[in-house]
């Protein structure tokens, strides 16, 4: 056996494991990154039930979907775990923990973050063995790894799975598209008039947003190349989608709030290409097999971009100074360097990416 690592964990499997709890209750892209770790757990403990402690949208996504998650328990809103959705009560964590402890989990994994809030919750589940990440301000679990920010997210969570004897079986996040997903996409979109390309110009963090006029320029060229261009977005991104549609000046189709997450997955799976900012839909598209061109700030490229290049092209912005005040935004994580690395501005850090680079990558993927 070689040295300890992803494929040869330093510890063996935990004996007599019937039920595994995994905490990951955050956003779409965050969840895509833990899929390989869940696959590793499934391979190492094939007879165990894997229960995701997640958000309401996880329960909807995993209803009757094949994959490594057997069941979802929705974690009540709690500080540092997840925010309440509209109309959702914020109480209930005490009752939730009592119910979960009654399930007698054998393993409980914290795949949620640095652990300041999530490690106490996982420790309170009452599992025989706990494992996860630990930042400097977090309490330890039974087995833990130091949380280091600049690490590929997929590898980060595979290392946690290795703490309980689950070696990696893949580093590629994969999400199954179901027949109901495809039926929904067909019902909403109809039959394609020509090959489709999807653009996703939104992102929760506005610093990750490429300007809408650049997306519009890409849309014009791809429309002229013979593609049907879709522009996807969440209801909160309606204005961003509208700006792209208005600026494009050619017939392109907006899709905002018309598809469930499963329907969106099927939509992307049928696209010849998806072009997006670094945000959940980009990682969803890759997970369902669509070729992608992603626009990344250099720091996020380290943590979230796929390492594959056969069907994926991350385009990198090297901006590290705030475009408004000029503060170097890297020292925040490197305290021994000059500057505090923080500023209040949220202007885009990816405006230096030219349209020509995105189109070059898009055409390379489309025409090969």
């Amino acid at each position: 056996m070689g040295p300890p690592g992803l494929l040869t964990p330093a510890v063996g499997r935990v004996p007599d494991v019937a039920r595994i709890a995994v905490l990951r209750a955050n956003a779409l892209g965050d969840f895509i990154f833990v899929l390989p770790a869940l696959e590793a757990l499934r391979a190492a403990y094939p007879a165990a039930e894997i229960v995701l402690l997640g958000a309401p949208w996880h329960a909807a996504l995993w209803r009757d979907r094949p994959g490594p998650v057997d069941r979802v328990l929705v974690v009540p809103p709690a500080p540092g775990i997840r925010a309440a959705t509209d109309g959702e009560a914020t109480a209930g964590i005490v009752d939730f923990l009592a119910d979960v402890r009654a399930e007698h989990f054998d393993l409980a994994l914290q795949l949620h973050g640095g652990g300041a809030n999530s490690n106490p919750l996982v420790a309170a589940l009452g599992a025989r063995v706990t494992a996860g990440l630990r930042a400097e301000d977090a309490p330890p679990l039974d087995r833990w790894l130091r949380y280091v920010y600049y690490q590929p997210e997929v590898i980060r969570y595979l290392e946690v799975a290795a703490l309980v004897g689950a070696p990696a079986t893949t580093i590629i996040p994969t999400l199954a598209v179901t027949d109901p997903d495809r039926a929904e996409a067909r019902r909403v979109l109809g039959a394609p008039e020509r090959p489709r390309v999807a653009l996703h110009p939104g992102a929760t963090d506005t610093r990750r947003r490429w300007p809408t006029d650049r997306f519009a320029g890409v849309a014009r060229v791809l429309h002229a190349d013979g593609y049907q261009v879709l522009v996807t977005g969440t209801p909160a991104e309606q204005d961003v989608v509208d700006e792209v549609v208005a600026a494009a000046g050619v017939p392109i189709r907006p899709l905002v709030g018309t598809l469930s997450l499963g329907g969106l997955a099927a939509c992307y799976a049928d696209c010849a290409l998806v072009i997006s900012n670094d945000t959940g839909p980009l990682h969803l598209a890759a997970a369902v097999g669509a070729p992608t061109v992603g626009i990344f700030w250099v720091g996020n490229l380290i943590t979230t971009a796929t390492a594959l290049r056969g069907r994926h092209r991350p385009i990198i912005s090297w901006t590290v100074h705030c475009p408004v005040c000029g503060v170097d935004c890297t020292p925040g994580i490197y305290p021994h360097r000059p500057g505090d690395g923080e500023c209040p501005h949220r202007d885009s850090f990816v405006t230096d990416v030219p349209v020509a680079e995105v189109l070059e990558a898009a055409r390379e993927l489309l025409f090969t």
Side-chain angles (χ1 to χ4, degrees):
M1 181 178 291
L6 287 177
L7 299 180
T8 55
V11 296
R13 298 173 190 170
V14 177
D16 303 320
V17 171
R19 189 169 289 122
I20 303 171
V22 176
L23 176 64
R24 186 68 167 175
N26 34 24
L28 174 60
D30 300 313
F31 180 71
I32 296 295
F33 302 141
V34 304
L35 287 171
L38 291 168
E39 295 287 359
L41 291 169
R42 168 58 65 227
Y45 299 97
E49 181 187 32
I50 298 177
V51 180
L52 176 69
L53 308 185
W57 72 265
H58 291 107
L61 179 67
W62 283 101
R63 189 175 298 117
D64 301 321
R65 185 175 305 277
V69 174
D70 296 306
R71 182 162 53 102
V72 175
L73 291 178
V74 175
V75 182
I81 303 299
R82 72 174 187 86
T85 56
D86 291 342
E88 186 179 14
T90 56
I93 194 69
V94 173
D95 291 340
F96 172 80
L97 288 173
D99 291 341
V100 173
R101 281 194 293 269
E103 297 212 21
H104 302 294
F105 282 98
D106 299 293
L107 300 180
L109 275 69
Q110 188 275 97
L111 302 184
H112 195 77
N117 296 287
S118 50
N119 283 4
L121 188 148
V122 168
L125 298 177
R128 286 196 289 124
V129 176
T130 61
L133 298 159
R134 184 189 182 190
E136 291 185 1
D137 59 348
L141 296 169
D142 296 330
R143 304 176 184 183
W144 57 273
L145 289 170
R146 179 66 65 194
Y147 179 89
V148 179
Y149 182 77
Y150 280 122
Q151 178 183 17
E153 292 281 289
V154 167
I155 303 302
R156 186 194 310 283
Y157 301 113
L158 282 170
E159 284 200 292
V160 175
L163 291 176
V164 294
T169 60
T170 181
I171 62 168
I172 310 303
T174 302
L175 186 73
V177 178
T178 66
D179 289 340
D181 295 338
R182 295 186 182 93
E184 179 190 350
R186 284 195 300 269
R187 185 168 61 251
V188 171
L189 293 169
E193 302 166 3
R194 44 187 178 167
R196 287 174 173 151
V197 171
L199 312 181
H200 189 89
T204 303
D205 186 342
T206 54
R207 294 172 297 179
R208 299 183 187 182
R209 290 184 183 178
W210 201 41
T212 53
D213 64 317
R214 313 276 181 88
F215 275 104
V218 170
R220 281 193 297 274
V221 172
L222 294 180
H223 178 270
D225 284 347
Y227 293 92
Q228 181 183 13
V229 179
L230 311 176
V231 187
T232 60
T234 66
E237 296 165 343
Q238 181 72 63
D239 291 348
V240 177
V241 172
D242 289 345
E243 288 176 15
V244 174
V245 172
V250 295
I252 58 178
R253 183 170 180 176
L255 287 173
V256 178
T258 56
L259 290 167
S260 70
L261 193 53
L264 183 65
C267 167
Y268 287 155
D270 284 340
C271 284
L273 181 68
V274 176
I275 303 173
S276 173
N277 297 317
D278 169 27
T279 188
L282 174 69
H283 307 299
L284 174 66
V288 298
T292 67
V293 174
I295 300 159
F296 288 85
W297 177 65
V298 59
N300 298 133
L301 180 95
I302 296 169
T303 58
T304 67
T306 176
L308 303 181
R309 294 296 174 269
R311 291 165 59 83
H312 305 288
R313 297 290 188 277
I315 309 299
I316 308 170
S317 168
W318 298 94
T319 299
V320 295
H321 293 86
C322 172
V324 177
C325 66
V327 164
D328 183 344
C329 289
T330 59
I333 201 166
Y334 296 115
H336 302 295
R337 301 185 189 187
D340 61 13
E342 298 295 335
C343 76
H345 305 112
R346 289 297 180 266
D347 292 58
S348 174
F349 268 60
V350 295
T351 57
D352 60 324
V353 172
V355 169
E357 284 186 14
V358 174
L359 281 172
E360 183 179 79
R363 283 172 155 171
E364 182 182 5
L365 291 171
L366 288 168
F367 300 158
T368 56

